Amino acid sequence: MNLFQYVRPAEQKTAIAAVAAEPTARFLGGGTNLLDLMKRHIMQPEKLVDVTRLPLKGITQQGNIIRIGALTRNTEIAEDKTILQNLPLLAMAINAGASAQIRNMATTGGNLLQRTRCPYFYDTAMPCNKREPGTGCGALEGFNRMHAIFGFSDKCIAVNPSDMNVALRALDATVVVNGPKGERKIPIADFHRLPGDTPEKDTNLDKNELITAVTIPISPFSKNAYYLKVRDRNSYAFALVSVAAALNMDGNTIKEARLAMGGVAHKPWRLTDAETFLKSKTATEENFQQAAQIAFQGAKAFKHNQYKLKLGPNTIVQALSVASGLKSV
Amino acid sequence: MGDDIKMAGQPLSRVDGKLKVTGAAKYAAEYIIPNLAYGVLASGAIARGRIKSIDTAAAEKAPGVIAIITHLNAPKPPGYFGGKESSDPRTEGGEYRVFYNDVILYSGQPVALAIADTFERARYAASLVKVQYVKEPPQTDMLSNMDKAVVPKESDPDYNRGDKNAFDNAAFTFEQEYQTQLQVHNPMEPHAAIAVWEGADAITVYNKTQSSPIAQEDIAKAWKLQKENVHIVSKFVGGAFGGASRVWPEEMAATIGAKKIGRPLKVVFNRDQLFNMVGYRPQSLQKIKLGADKDGKLIGIHHEAYGNTSTYEQFTANMTSLTQALYACDNVSTLYRLVPLDVSTPCWTRAPGEAPGSFALESALDELSYTLKIDPLELRKRNYAAQNPDTKQPWSTKFLNECYERGAAQFGWEKRNPQPRSTTNGNWLIGYGMATGIYGAWRAPSSARAVLNSDGTLVVQSATADVGVGTATIMSQIAADATGIPVEKIKFELGDSRLPPAIGQFGSLTTTSVGSAVNDACVALRQKAIEYLKKSQSSLQNTPVENFAFGDGKIKTKDDAVSISYADLLQQQHLPSIEVTVDSKGSEEADKYSSYSYNATFVEVGVHALTNQLKVNRVVSAIDAGKIMNKKTARSQVYGSVTWGIGMALTEESVIDDRYGRWMVKDLADYHVPVNADIPAIEVLFIDKSDDILTPIGAKGLGEIGIVGVAAAIANAVYHATGKRVRDLPITPDKLV
Ligand SMILES: Cc1cc2nc3c(=O)[nH]c(=O)nc-3n(C[C@H](O)[C@H](O)[C@H](O)COP(=O)(O)OP(=O)(O)OC[C@H]3O[C@@H](n4cnc5c(N)ncnc54)[C@H](O)[C@@H]3O)c2cc1C
């Protein structure tokens, strides 16, 4: 870890000004990602602005909208009654991530911004365009078992590792941010980026912008929702693939479907074509299989992640089957 | 043995348990030494080539930095020179020499040591060291370097009995290849050393080691010191699993750095350095050929094994030895080769040869059982070896049949539908699998000292180690039985090279070897006490020796009519203490026998039909390890072993990017040690019958037998569940797609 200054302001304005004042300054949430990256010399901010004392905690409901303060810990969300009742998908996704200890520390803002787990990104002796633009992508022809099958570029094939983000994407969340230029609202679909030629940029958030909240509309998907994560061990491992499935059902008929995937792209991946296909269909295994095939059109694998082309669709079918009540887990 | 056996076998809680859970137990890195400096190693970035230049300017200017050491300015241990030969007789070749020259032998090798006044500052300074290299293309892929395989100089690489080609004429033949992965010990406690020079000729090193005598010898040789002048202290070890059986760069860097700065120095590894700056379990490729008649009688076995080693040393862990002894078969041949690669030297890892070797052999046997349509357990019983099929010696004891019977009954093996993919539970395919485990039981020469104090307390000492298995507890129990002194009044001391020399903690040898020494020392001490008694005025003076009994801290007559406490005896004799030191080794009688520990492991797995998620639902491990000295610590050993087996079978693997020769999986987020959710209820059944030929205490080895065969049992269960045979570990969900 490099030497750095540490401040813990009590007000949003001061925090934003403190980060804006220095090119390398960063906000610090639970620190479960940023501090690891600093210990590995991957990020070397000269100032950390600890935002955990800002009054941005808690979950509130305003009409049809649930608002989660950016500093609400992952565990608090997963155990919150309003969330469990209205957005169980989000609680399931959060509980599928990390460990209890990490979820106790992790903040909503920090989770949204957690960086990829690509091993080339994590090793400063290896090439990585995300860490050091221009050095090349180590994973492209290297160890790419965990990597993207959608939306990658020849500059970067890393995936976004978050489980929470997948549920937020399925639930059409909005990220509320505040910065030197004032407040703005970023739909989750536009929050994370595809790598393109600038994989160093994970999101469309400006460096000096503070995430203050996430808002999620209450939608009729709470009864038929399921988050399924397939991983190398039964807890505490990043997704090989994961699926957030939420259905608005009328009897056996799907009025509307929401489907998003993790472990497949640089951002939480929404499967809109499959959603369109499922609209007004009955919940049958054949329909789910077809939806999965549609979802995977255009998927392309590398040397070590070929399995995702089959495991992905299977996981979609299973998640839809459980969400719809067709099958048990 | 005490006449009144009470303590051995009791599920006594660990005597050091409270120290550990309260943090009072001191591990290597925790000693508080005045004027201590902190060192962090900078790891190299390439796998093969030379260091062109090192820029240490920025690092030297960093706050708190005391020195930056590289091969250019490091004091060279005199034992490094002229020595092509290893100072370590346990591996063939020249050991890795820290800061010796500019040659890069593996990726991540130490290239500099940053020394500062705090750990954090040293770590930061280490990151500022900039190294330029002359790169050469590394070779780290074993499978594409098979043509470079060499015959190991150590161990018997080739073995043959009977007719090499017998299986060609067998009614049924079977041939397959199996692979096992790079596995890393990953103990909770990182490797650490504190070096304190006492003048130029003497040093104390606090380190993490499974053997203070070996660490003493290694450091004495490197620095050409008198052995007595090297003092190793390693009282508590937070897990080692074979990985702390020799001296590694942390000890050498600490001694070199401390010499340079003239101050005590501590060096602790980062987690990524624990992956390959110390040893690991090498990967393996194994070929098995089996020939059998229609009744399942094995006609011929051929087992071929290849493991990786480094370019500078040969590490051997013969994976084929078990094949020579496990089944009754007249025609057996085995072959063992090493493939040198641009990696660091591997080292002993829990059941070093047996764990990978049994995966191949016991998978193959399972495959054969389907060809023959014979139940896998029945197939093994039909090839039961009633004597050692290699040496033709009788077994000292062998209760493998009991393991099979009791294990199968407890598991409900008879409910198994022989058809693969025949059993389901909802969307989960259910499979049953089993395997046999075998692990050599030995007893190595060891010494122990027993000191009886006039307050009636007993101190027993031996320079062995306790890496967390409960050695101090078991030794106290053995001493209690031998002397009749209650466990609460006994203290067992270990982990210090100044104590009587003994075997370290590896090879499942500690209880058999040190336990026997402790028993012998305590029996001798008891005799000495009786001699004093004979000289005393006590009414017991004329009691014939065979009429004595020992219990409650007293020497008494067998009928309990007359007694004298040890404390009273010593006080009457004006003796502050009496002591004996005993060198103990196996009997000549034992050499006539062949000794092994055994297990039968039964496993149920569930595999999700659609997503291939895999769960071990149940494990029954039936173990023949002689007399079980402490049922509680023994059970914990088997829980640990089975968990290791689950990790090997399903989750653990490190991966090298062969383009760079770089380990790409090197933290605990990506290297998947099984977590609670992966570990089901494990039922441990101990046969618990004494082996009185191998040891006076009846024990055989226990630390490793529990892992042997587990990976195969799981792979066999996965096949039974899914109809898919995975022959390269670990069995992750992607391999079942
Ligand atoms: C071993 C391990 C396993 C894990 N496994 C999983 C898993 O399986 N699934 C999963 O989803 N996650 C997993 N995680 C990641 C974990 O969820 C994240 O580390 C966590 O969510 C980050 O939150 P934090 O508050 O600690 O972020 P921090 O580390 O504090 O910050 C992360 C980033 O966000 C920025 N930031 C923080 N708060 C704000 C804010 N309010 N506004 C603007 N910027 C901000 C920081 O500057 C930093 O760049 C794992 C982590 C570890 C260490």
Side-chain angles (χ1 to χ4, degrees):
Chain A
M1 234 182 227
N2 57 308
L3 290 179
F4 60 88
Q5 278 185 2
Y6 171 87
V7 292
R8 196 170 60 195
E11 281 177 31
Q12 263 191 57
K13 257 206 264 164
T14 344
I16 293 165
V19 166
E22 284 183 47
T24 67
R26 291 274 161 185
F27 297 113
L28 177 68
T32 60
N33 191 215
L34 183 52
L35 296 186
D36 274 2
L37 292 166
M38 288 170 69
K39 286 183 197 164
R40 303 262 196 125
H41 313 107
I42 295 156
M43 292 176 75
Q44 308 216 353
E46 279 157 55
K47 182 185 253 181
L48 286 185
V49 180
D50 184 339
V51 293
T52 54
R53 295 291 165 97
L54 301 184
L56 296 172
K57 282 191 196 130
I59 298 160
T60 50
Q61 185 174 348
Q62 292 151 343
N64 200 29
I65 301 284
I66 290 178
R67 184 186 172 93
I68 301 170
L71 291 166
T72 314
R73 308 280 179 179
N74 278 185
T75 303
E76 293 171 57
I77 303 178
E79 291 178 355
D80 183 83
K81 276 206 188 91
T82 313
I83 299 289
L84 286 169
Q85 203 181 333
N86 298 292
L87 306 168
L89 185 66
L90 180 61
M92 281 188 257
I94 286 175
N95 279 331
S99 66
Q101 291 91 334
I102 292 172
R103 294 193 297 270
N104 286 343
M105 287 302 291
T107 62
T108 311
N111 197 329
L112 272 165
L113 292 175
Q114 65 168 296
R115 308 208 65 188
T116 186
R117 291 278 160 173
C118 173
Y120 297 88
F121 175 71
Y122 260 82
D123 186 341
T124 52
M126 291 286 100
C128 171
N129 288 323
K130 185 182 278 299
R131 180 172 29 79
E132 227 181 312
T135 52
C137 173
L140 201 59
E141 285 168 12
F143 173 53
N144 47 31
R145 179 172 176 264
M146 301 296 288
H147 289 72
I149 50 173
F150 292 116
F152 51 82
S153 72
D154 61 354
K155 301 281 187 299
C156 179
I157 62 170
V159 298
N160 183 302
S162 168
D163 292 294
M164 182 188 86
N165 292 349
V166 182
L168 291 182
R169 184 79 206 269
L171 294 168
D172 274 341
T174 300
V175 184
V176 185
V177 311
N178 194 6
K181 292 179 205 147
E183 193 175 282
R184 63 179 180 129
K185 294 186 173 147
I186 311 171
I188 186 79
D190 302 330
F191 186 79
H192 298 97
R193 293 164 46 97
L194 290 181
D197 287 335
T198 51
E200 67 276 17
K201 282 192 180 153
D202 293 348
T203 68
N204 288 316
L205 189 74
D206 185 71
K207 175 202 149 250
N208 301 331
E209 281 179 318
L210 174 75
I211 299 173
T212 55
V214 170
T215 60
I216 308 167
I218 294 179
S219 43
F221 293 105
S222 59
K223 277 206 203 71
N224 294 97
Y226 190 56
Y227 187 77
L228 177 55
K229 181 179 183 184
V230 182
R231 46 189 156 177
D232 283 332
R233 59 182 168 191
N234 284 298
S235 172
Y236 202 24
F238 291 97
L240 297 171
V241 297
S242 69
V243 174
L247 302 170
N248 178 8
M249 308 267 299
D250 181 6
N252 203 26
T253 305
I254 299 165
K255 288 209 279 191
E256 207 189 335
R258 296 284 182 81
L259 268 181
M261 281 191 88
V264 293
H266 197 261
K267 61 192 282 185
W269 197 247
R270 186 83 176 257
L271 309 173
T272 33
D273 290 347
E275 289 177 5
T276 312
F277 168 82
L278 286 170
K279 206 174 164 94
S280 310
K281 296 275 182 337
T282 46
T284 63
E285 177 141 5
E286 298 76 66
N287 281 333
F288 294 158
Q289 298 238 344
Q290 274 201 48
Q293 292 318 315
I294 291 167
F296 264 62
Q297 277 165 15
K300 192 176 161 297
F302 296 89
K303 188 169 175 195
H304 301 114
N305 65 356
Q306 294 288 336
Y307 70 93
K308 290 193 182 183
L309 300 182
K310 183 135 189 254
L311 183 60
N314 284 354
T315 307
I316 294 175
V317 173
Q318 175 65 15
L320 285 168
S321 302
V322 178
S324 64
L326 192 68
K327 275 192 187 174
S328 60
V329 289
Chain B
M1 186 110 269
D3 300 305
D4 219 355
I5 299 168
K6 278 180 267 145
M7 285 318 297
Q10 297 295 317
L12 191 69
S13 290
R14 282 158 203 263
V15 293
D16 49 8
K18 197 167 170 187
L19 291 178
K20 288 187 172 176
V21 297
T22 57
K26 241 187 215 167
Y27 293 82
E30 298 180 323
Y31 284 84
I32 294 160
I33 310 284
N35 205 26
L36 184 67
Y38 299 80
V40 170
L41 287 163
S43 315
I46 69 160
R48 184 186 168 121
R50 284 179 182 277
I51 296 173
K52 190 160 52 178
S53 63
I54 305 189
D55 180 358
T56 57
E60 272 157 25
K61 276 191 228 105
V65 169
I66 297 162
I68 305 292
I69 293 174
T70 70
H71 69 282
L72 297 169
N73 66 352
K76 310 273 155 136
Y80 271 7
F81 289 108
K84 260 212 330 260
E85 283 309 296
S86 172
S87 69
D88 172 359
R90 287 153 292 132
T91 48
E92 184 71 32
E95 87 271 41
Y96 175 73
R97 289 168 288 183
V98 186
F99 306 138
Y100 179 61
N101 58 21
D102 60 354
V103 179
I104 298 289
L105 295 166
Y106 65 90
S107 188
Q109 104 179 25
V111 289
L113 175 68
I115 303 177
D117 55 357
T118 69
F119 167 72
E120 288 77 8
R121 288 171 145 184
R123 186 170 59 183
Y124 177 54
S127 79
L128 298 177
V129 175
K130 295 288 170 258
V131 185
Q132 300 291 324
Y133 301 94
V134 181
K135 289 185 197 170
E136 288 169 34
Q139 293 298 329
T140 53
D141 177 23
M142 189 171 91
L143 298 185
S144 61
N145 283 283
M146 294 297 287
D147 56 326
K148 302 198 185 86
V150 296
V151 181
K153 291 190 190 133
E154 299 274 322
S155 88
D156 293 329
D158 297 320
Y159 169 88
N160 187 52
R161 72 169 179 257
D163 176 4
K164 235 181 173 167
N165 301 313
F167 51 76
D168 291 339
N169 307 320
F172 293 88
T173 57
F174 168 84
E175 196 172 336
Q176 260 309 340
E177 285 189 7
Y178 301 88
Q179 288 179 50
T180 60
Q181 72 276 45
L182 289 175
Q183 215 187 348
V184 181
H185 307 85
N186 266 321
M188 222 186 304
E189 180 204 17
H191 284 254
I194 299 176
V196 187
W197 285 96
E198 287 124 16
D201 305 325
I203 190 168
T204 297
V205 178
Y206 303 83
N207 70 338
K208 173 192 185 85
T209 182
Q210 290 170 249
S211 168
S212 52
I214 287 179
Q216 179 189 41
E217 202 173 306
D218 285 355
I219 290 171
K221 277 186 179 157
W223 287 99
K224 295 216 160 131
L225 301 173
Q226 298 292 322
K227 225 166 97 173
E228 313 78 73
N229 289 346
V230 176
H231 183 197
I232 303 292
V233 182
S234 182
K235 302 266 180 214
F236 291 95
V237 175
F241 315 111
S245 306
R246 63 182 290 193
V247 159
W248 295 112
E250 80 274 15
E251 284 102 344
M252 289 316 297
T255 57
I256 290 169
K259 184 115 201 156
K260 177 87 180 172
I261 60 168
R263 269 172 77 166
L265 175 66
K266 168 153 82 180
V267 175
V268 182
F269 279 0
N270 294 331
R271 180 56 63 179
D272 60 332
Q273 296 172 330
L274 291 164
F275 277 72
N276 73 336
M277 215 181 261
V278 296
Y280 52 89
R281 193 197 292 285
Q283 64 187 114
S284 81
L285 171 70
Q286 301 178 61
K287 302 179 185 182
I288 302 264
K289 292 186 194 177
L290 299 175
D293 68 17
K294 65 173 185 353
D295 299 323
K297 177 89 197 74
L298 289 167
I299 306 294
I301 308 177
H302 178 71
H303 186 172
E304 222 171 290
Y306 300 80
N308 77 272
T309 189
S310 64
T311 54
Y312 51 93
E313 254 180 336
Q314 288 194 348
F315 168 74
T316 54
N318 198 333
M319 293 170 264
T320 64
S321 310
L322 80 164
T323 303
Q324 298 159 17
L326 185 49
Y327 294 111
C329 177
D330 293 335
N331 309 301
V332 175
S333 59
T334 70
L335 174 149
Y336 176 42
R337 297 288 179 270
L338 293 176
V339 183
L341 299 172
D342 295 313
V343 295
S344 55
T345 311
C347 81
W348 305 271
T349 309
R350 208 165 193 175
E354 294 78 1
S358 63
F359 170 65
L361 179 66
E362 290 295 291
S363 291
L365 230 66
D366 196 68
E367 300 206 48
L368 181 68
S369 78
Y370 287 93
T371 315
L372 296 170
K373 300 197 166 53
I374 298 175
D375 177 87
L377 174 58
E378 176 60 25
L379 178 63
R380 287 165 172 88
K381 287 188 189 163
R382 288 189 193 173
N383 290 286
Y384 199 81
Q387 60 173 10
N388 185 316
D390 172 25
T391 64
K392 315 290 184 223
Q393 287 172 310
W395 307 114
S396 56
T397 54
K398 175 175 180 177
F399 300 108
L400 177 58
N401 261 332
E402 281 84 340
C403 294
Y404 287 149
E405 299 299 339
R406 286 188 53 196
Q410 182 70 24
F411 183 81
W413 183 257
E414 80 286 350
K415 291 193 213 98
R416 176 178 179 272
N417 179 337
Q419 191 61 31
R421 227 183 154 91
S422 60
T423 312
T424 56
N425 177 10
N427 301 314
W428 293 79
L429 307 168
I430 303 298
Y432 286 7
M434 62 83 55
T436 313
I438 178 169
Y439 192 88
W442 296 285
R443 176 175 168 194
S446 286
S447 335
R449 179 187 298 132
V451 184
L452 177 63
N453 294 313
S454 59
D455 61 359
T457 59
L458 175 68
V459 177
V460 187
Q461 300 171 318
S462 177
T464 189
D466 185 348
V467 300
V469 308
T471 300
T473 311
I474 291 175
M475 296 305 154
S476 302
Q477 289 173 270
I478 293 169
D481 282 342
T483 58
I485 295 172
V487 162
E488 311 78 65
K489 292 199 167 175
I490 299 174
K491 188 161 186 253
F492 186 76
E493 294 178 351
L494 48 61
D496 189 317
S497 60
R498 290 187 176 160
L499 299 175
I503 191 75
Q505 188 145 71
F506 35 66
S508 301
L509 278 163
T510 318
T511 301
T512 54
S513 312
V514 182
S516 297
V518 165
N519 175 71
D520 293 354
C522 289
V523 168
L525 181 76
R526 181 175 97 184
Q527 293 312 120
K528 197 161 180 178
I530 289 174
E531 282 162 30
Y532 281 111
L533 190 60
K534 296 262 174 209
K535 284 187 253 165
S536 74
Q537 304 304 313
S538 159
S539 53
L540 285 161
Q541 191 183 14
N542 297 319
T543 311
V545 173
E546 60 279 9
N547 277 3
F548 282 116
F550 309 87
D552 307 324
K554 292 177 191 148
I555 304 174
K556 43 193 178 179
T557 53
K558 276 204 169 135
D559 58 9
D560 222 355
V562 199
S563 69
I564 180 168
S565 75
Y566 284 110
D568 287 348
L569 174 65
L570 264 66
Q571 280 160 22
Q572 282 174 15
Q573 298 287 309
H574 305 292
L575 293 165
S577 65
I578 55 174
E579 82 172 56
V580 286
T581 303
V582 166
D583 299 328
S584 157
K585 62 178 177 28
S587 65
E588 278 171 25
E589 177 68 6
D591 293 340
K592 297 181 196 147
Y593 294 83
S594 175
S595 298
Y596 287 86
S597 291
Y598 291 94
N599 86 48
T601 303
F602 297 85
V603 171
E604 180 193 311
V605 300
V607 181
H608 196 278
L610 216 46
T611 62
N612 311 323
Q613 290 156 287
L614 213 156
K615 262 185 181 249
V616 178
N617 293 334
R618 287 190 298 138
V619 177
V620 173
S621 174
I623 304 255
D624 164 25
K627 177 162 180 63
I628 299 306
M629 305 308 292
N630 178 325
K631 299 221 171 57
K632 194 171 188 175
T633 56
R635 184 158 280 127
S636 296
Q637 278 305 294
V638 181
Y639 289 159
S641 295
V642 171
T643 303
W644 264 73
I646 293 173
M648 182 174 179
L650 302 179
T651 59
E652 294 181 39
E653 179 175 32
S654 201
V655 176
I656 296 178
D657 182 332
D658 298 314
R659 297 172 303 166
Y660 306 100
R662 188 112 178 134
W663 291 54
M664 295 315 297
V665 173
K666 51 190 171 206
D667 65 28
L668 290 175
D670 294 333
Y671 185 88
H672 298 132
V673 175
V675 294
N676 280 327
D678 299 301
I679 307 165
I682 298 167
E683 288 179 80
V684 183
L685 309 176
F686 289 119
I687 305 304
D688 198 13
K689 289 188 184 166
S690 275
D691 187 325
D692 297 326
I693 292 169
L694 183 67
T695 61
I697 53 176
K700 301 198 270 191
L702 180 71
E704 285 156 290
I705 182 59
I707 182 182
V708 186
V710 176
I714 293 173
N716 296 343
V718 169
Y719 175 75
H720 183 237
T722 62
K724 190 161 166 73
R725 179 68 65 175
V726 180
R727 300 187 184 91
D728 60 326
L729 298 181
I731 308 171
T732 42
D734 51 318
K735 291 190 184 157
L736 294 170
V737 163

